[in-house]
């Protein structure tokens, strides 16, 4: 059982124990930090402790994975003023405890640096927690019934959004507005496919948007039509703007609630920092929460790439932020998604020889934006899914870097999903970070081979090949698209066992990586991917006291058992923000 208490000054107090039966007890973690700065022997640590104020919190009784090369394991960690002050043996760390020190007994569990989710749509994820849930709807009838039932819970005229449907679950047929028109006559419906690159509108939403059979085609998108030319309800990529523009923006109060819900949810998963990709409106939400002292998750917030000049002015006027909220990143797009058949490939889709996908931004325009942003000293990260999209983006990065000159720019490719073999070594050569989402591999792996064939599948989510080519691999979730659950992501990267369990040996098994490699991608390298490796990503003295306790050492269990592991405590800045046994 997890034990947390303050060290008694004179008369001992019983430790504070939270009720609740758990299969595995929480284990205290402690990492000896004064080792490096002080004398190498234990007495050096003791002397330093005697001359310093007592720790605010110590974690003992666990196995600490520090993430530090050459010194990965310790037994305990001490925290003062929101930062780590020691990492080492339990005896050494306990010497730093005083009368008011909070002691966390990890009881044999594993302690790791706080997980950093390197790609989320954070506010949207918070909203998705309360919107209609379509991700696991397995038939058109169930799809329609869930929307009908949700519509009954909200006032007439309310837009029904979210959804995250997956048409592969019912055989691949795209939904049509007729499926839901009869059950939503008084509610505009605009529900997205789980990847966010397609959405379905009902007739009420089309009427509100003024979209009919005269709707023009859109470069970088598609209006799916009936035989008579009228919209069938599904819009792809850039065409989605036809309806997006009339969806009312939620009020500030609902945005704040969505952020609070998102922070609570990811804390339960051990996520202490996120790299958010979204709009300027989201940045307002984060700033409001920061000013009110409500931020419980550290945020690196990126805004749209085409607004780079505005961001440059903002950074010049206000700086890049602090340890809770940072700016300076820009997110762009090359193509769409595999599931929507809008990812850009060199060769046609295997299941649709008439299409090679699409580009959502003209390559010359994209390169101009990247070049301007990079020249302004901003951080560029661009979405690329198909192998052609990745080639085009690497080409653009190479040209911009050559023109603007050498600097520590850390260009990122978000997803880097399907790679041509010749592009694999270019990531390390150009210093480009593949920012990838391992859960997608075990999700898309259920059907991707049918879409692109076995040969191209070998370069899909090529974790092993990228690491072997010395690329710096950063992991995230793409929440709301996939769950923000790093332990599931680690399971996915290590096993590549698809969600339908039809690939017990792993889909494209040669791309598996080790547990420690996956842990590093969620911690140290993810911190590097936001220029924050100096303050987070490993458990070392001086770094932020962001750490997670897991109910077992996931390095010591069968790979298939990683998905059974659970986060039992999440600590951010030395404060316990989630504890599994705590009453709610």
């Amino acid at each position: 059982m997890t034990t947390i208490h303050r060290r008694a000054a004179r008369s001992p107090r019983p430790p504070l124990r939270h009720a609740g039966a758990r299969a595995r007890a929480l284990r205290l973690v402690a990492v000896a930090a004064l080792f490096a700065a002080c004398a190498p022997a234990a007495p050096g640590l003791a002397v330093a402790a005697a001359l310093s104020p007592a720790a605010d919190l110590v974690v003992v009784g666990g196995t600490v994975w520090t993430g530090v090369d050459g010194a990965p394991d310790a037994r305990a960690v001490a925290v003062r003023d929101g930062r780590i002050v020691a990492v080492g043996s339990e005896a050494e760390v306990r010497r730093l405890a005083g009368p008011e020190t909070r002691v966390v007994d990890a009881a044999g569990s594993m302690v790791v640096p706080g997980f950093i989710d390197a790609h989320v749509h954070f506010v949207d994820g918070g909203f998705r927690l309360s919107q209609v849930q379509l991700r696991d709807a397995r038939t058109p009838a169930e799809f329609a019934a869930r929307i009908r039932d949700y519509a009954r819970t909200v006032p007439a005229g309310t837009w029904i959004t979210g959804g995250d449907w997956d048409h592969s679950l019912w055989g691949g047929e795209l939904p049509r507005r007729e499926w839901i028109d009869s059950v939503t006559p008084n509610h505009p419906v605009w529900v997205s496919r789980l990847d966010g690159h397609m959405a379905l509108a009902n007739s009420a939403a089309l009427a509100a948007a003024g979209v009919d059979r005269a709707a023009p085609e859109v470069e970088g998108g598609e209006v799916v039509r009936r035989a008579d030319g009228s919209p069938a309800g599904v819009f792809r990529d850039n065409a989605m703007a036809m309806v997006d523009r009339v969806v009312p923006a939620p009020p500030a109060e609902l945005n704040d609630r969505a952020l609070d819900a998102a922070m609570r949810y990811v804390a339960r998963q051990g996520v202490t920092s996120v790299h958010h990709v979204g709009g300027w409106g989201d940045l307002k939400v984060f700033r409001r929460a920061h000013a009110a002292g409500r931020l419980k998750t550290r945020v690196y917030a990126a805004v749209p790439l085409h607004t780079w000049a505005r961001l440059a002015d903002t950074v010049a006027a206000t700086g890049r932020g602090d340890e809770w909220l940072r700016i300076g990143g820009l997110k762009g797009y090359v193509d769409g998604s595999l599931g929507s058949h809008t990812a850009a490939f060199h060769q046609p889709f295997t299941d649709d020889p008439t299409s090679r996908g699409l580009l959502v931004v003209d390559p010359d325009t994209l390169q101009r934006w990247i070049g301007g942003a990079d020249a302004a000293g901003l951080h560029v990260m661009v979405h690329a899914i198909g192998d052609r999209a990745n080639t085009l983006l690497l080409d653009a990065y190479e040209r911009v870097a050559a023109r603007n000159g050498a600097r520590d720019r850390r260009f990122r490719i978000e997803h880097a999903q399907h790679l041509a073999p010749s592009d694999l070594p270019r990531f390390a050569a150009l210093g480009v970070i593949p920012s990838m989402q391992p859960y997608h591999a075990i999700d898309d792996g259920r059907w991707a081979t049918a879409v692109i064939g076995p040969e191209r599948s070998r370069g899909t989510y090529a974790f092993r090949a990228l690491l072997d080519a010395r690329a710096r691999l950063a992991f995230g979730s793409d929440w709301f698209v996939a769950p923000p659950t790093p332990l599931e992501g680690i399971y996915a990267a290590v096993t590549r066992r698809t969600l339908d369990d039809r690939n017990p040996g792993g889909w494209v098994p040669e791309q598996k990586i080790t547990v420690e490699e996956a842990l590093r991608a969620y911690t140290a390298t993810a911190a590097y991917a936001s220029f924050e490796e100096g303050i987070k990503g490993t458990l070392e003295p001086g770094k932020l006291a962001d750490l997670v306790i897991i109910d077992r050492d996931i390095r010591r269990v069968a790979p298939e058992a990683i998905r059974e592991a659970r986060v039992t405590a999440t600590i951010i800045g030395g404060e316990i923000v989630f504890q599994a046994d705590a009453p709610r």
Side-chain angles (χ1 to χ4, degrees):
M1 179 178 292
T2 303
T3 304
I4 301 176
H5 62 278
R6 294 195 185 279
R7 184 166 174 159
R10 292 186 178 84
S11 57
R13 291 183 290 175
L16 174 62
R17 295 178 183 269
H18 294 296
R22 293 194 55 78
R24 287 172 177 77
L26 196 62
R27 197 179 200 162
L28 245 181
V29 227
V31 189
L34 301 176
F35 262 131
C38 301
L45 178 61
V47 170
L51 298 175
S52 303
D56 300 321
L57 176 143
V58 296
V59 182
V60 296
T63 298
V64 179
W65 183 78
T66 69
V68 177
D69 290 339
D73 288 340
R75 301 298 297 177
V77 181
V79 175
R80 185 189 306 120
D81 295 331
R83 290 185 178 266
I84 296 169
V85 295
V87 179
S89 72
E90 183 166 334
E92 291 162 341
V93 167
R94 281 190 179 275
R95 292 188 190 119
L96 301 179
E100 296 301 316
T101 299
R102 195 174 194 183
V103 178
V104 178
D105 184 356
S109 297
M110 183 183 193
V111 182
V112 301
F115 292 127
I116 302 169
D117 191 319
H119 187 115
V120 297
H121 308 270
F122 205 43
V123 178
D124 283 344
F127 273 111
R128 287 309 205 272
L129 296 174
S130 62
Q131 292 173 323
V132 61
Q133 304 296 311
L134 301 173
R135 181 181 293 268
D136 58 348
R138 295 191 169 273
T139 66
E142 184 179 3
F143 176 94
R146 290 194 185 185
I147 293 176
R148 176 201 66 206
D149 293 345
Y150 184 85
R152 291 171 177 170
T153 69
V154 295
T158 302
W159 278 75
I160 298 173
T161 58
D164 303 333
W165 45 269
D166 180 359
H167 60 299
S168 73
L169 296 180
W170 58 74
E173 179 185 7
L174 289 178
R176 301 186 298 277
R177 55 177 158 138
E178 291 86 354
W179 292 9
I180 57 175
D181 275 349
S182 64
V183 297
T184 55
N186 302 312
H187 296 84
V189 177
W190 182 231
V191 287
S192 299
R193 186 183 183 274
L194 57 86
D195 60 9
H197 290 266
M198 284 198 291
L200 171 71
N202 69 349
S203 293
L206 293 179
V211 177
D212 56 23
R213 75 178 61 202
E217 289 304 319
V218 177
E219 185 71 24
E222 180 188 2
V223 180
V224 178
R225 300 179 186 271
R226 298 163 163 166
D228 64 2
S230 62
V234 166
F235 295 71
R236 287 186 165 106
D237 280 297
N238 288 354
M240 293 164 62
M242 293 182 178
V243 181
D244 281 340
R245 64 183 177 80
V246 299
V247 179
E253 178 187 1
L254 289 185
N255 276 303
D256 292 345
R257 288 171 55 184
L259 174 59
D260 290 344
M263 292 189 294
R264 287 193 300 270
Y265 186 69
V266 301
R268 296 178 59 85
Q269 319 308 323
V271 174
T272 58
S273 296
V274 297
H275 299 176
H276 167 82
V277 290
W280 286 90
D282 296 334
L283 184 55
K284 287 183 180 179
V285 179
F286 300 140
R287 283 177 164 164
R288 192 160 56 241
H290 190 15
R294 286 180 24 251
L295 276 184
K296 299 297 182 184
T297 307
R298 303 187 195 276
V299 180
Y300 179 44
V303 293
L305 176 60
H306 71 273
T307 67
W308 67 265
R310 177 181 174 184
L311 181 61
D313 291 342
T314 301
V315 168
T318 66
R320 294 179 183 257
D322 58 20
E323 295 158 356
W324 284 101
L325 177 59
R326 284 174 50 83
I327 61 173
L330 293 151
K331 164 73 183 306
Y333 290 85
V334 181
D335 61 346
S337 74
L338 185 67
S340 298
H341 280 61
T342 55
F345 283 89
H346 290 292
Q347 300 299 323
F349 292 109
T350 301
D351 64 344
D352 183 3
T354 67
S355 174
R356 295 190 301 156
L358 53 83
L359 301 177
V360 299
V361 177
D362 171 74
D364 290 338
T365 300
L366 180 67
Q367 183 170 320
R368 186 170 67 253
W369 290 343
I370 294 171
D374 181 67
L378 300 173
H379 188 200
V380 177
M381 49 193 83
V382 179
H383 161 122
I385 298 288
D387 55 14
R388 181 181 175 224
N390 279 277
T391 298
L392 288 171
L393 184 53
L394 287 166
D395 290 346
Y397 282 163
E398 186 170 16
R399 287 191 288 266
V400 166
R403 183 173 67 244
N404 289 350
R407 75 175 184 88
D408 186 9
R409 47 178 45 91
R410 304 188 194 185
F411 282 148
R412 290 170 44 162
I413 295 185
E414 304 304 304
H415 311 305
Q417 186 166 321
H418 306 282
L419 301 176
S422 59
D423 282 334
L424 287 165
R426 299 180 69 193
F427 283 84
L430 297 173
V432 174
I433 299 167
S435 171
M436 306 178 78
Q437 301 76 42
Y439 186 93
H440 288 337
I442 62 173
D443 192 354
D444 293 6
R446 296 175 294 123
W447 47 264
T449 301
V451 177
I452 58 173
E455 183 63 30
R456 282 183 291 187
S457 292
R458 294 215 296 264
T460 298
Y461 303 108
F463 310 137
R464 177 80 272 146
L466 284 164
L467 286 177
D468 288 348
R470 300 189 179 278
R472 294 178 182 262
L473 182 61
F475 276 168
S477 67
D478 202 11
W479 189 45
F480 60 93
V481 177
T485 49
L487 288 173
E488 285 189 285
I490 292 169
Y491 164 81
V494 171
T495 70
R496 296 182 69 100
R497 184 170 182 159
T498 52
L499 296 176
D500 56 12
D501 279 334
R502 293 184 178 177
N503 295 272
W507 180 63
V508 196
E510 61 269 26
Q511 297 297 346
K512 295 177 184 179
I513 61 176
T514 69
V515 171
E516 290 204 0
E517 288 169 332
L519 278 168
R520 192 164 286 109
Y522 271 114
T523 55
T525 316
Y528 177 86
S530 60
F531 294 88
E532 294 179 289
E533 72 275 15
I535 61 170
K536 63 174 71 166
T538 55
L539 299 179
E540 299 178 78
K543 290 197 173 181
L544 296 168
D546 298 351
L547 43 146
V548 176
I549 304 177
I550 305 168
D551 67 357
R552 68 201 73 187
D553 188 337
I554 58 175
R555 301 169 299 173
R556 312 288 185 229
V557 300
E560 294 75 23
I562 295 172
R563 61 179 162 182
E564 299 171 7
R566 295 293 179 265
V567 169
T568 52
T570 302
I571 298 168
I572 303 179
E575 297 293 326
I576 299 172
V577 297
F578 167 71
Q579 184 185 343
D581 289 336
R584 297 174 199 156

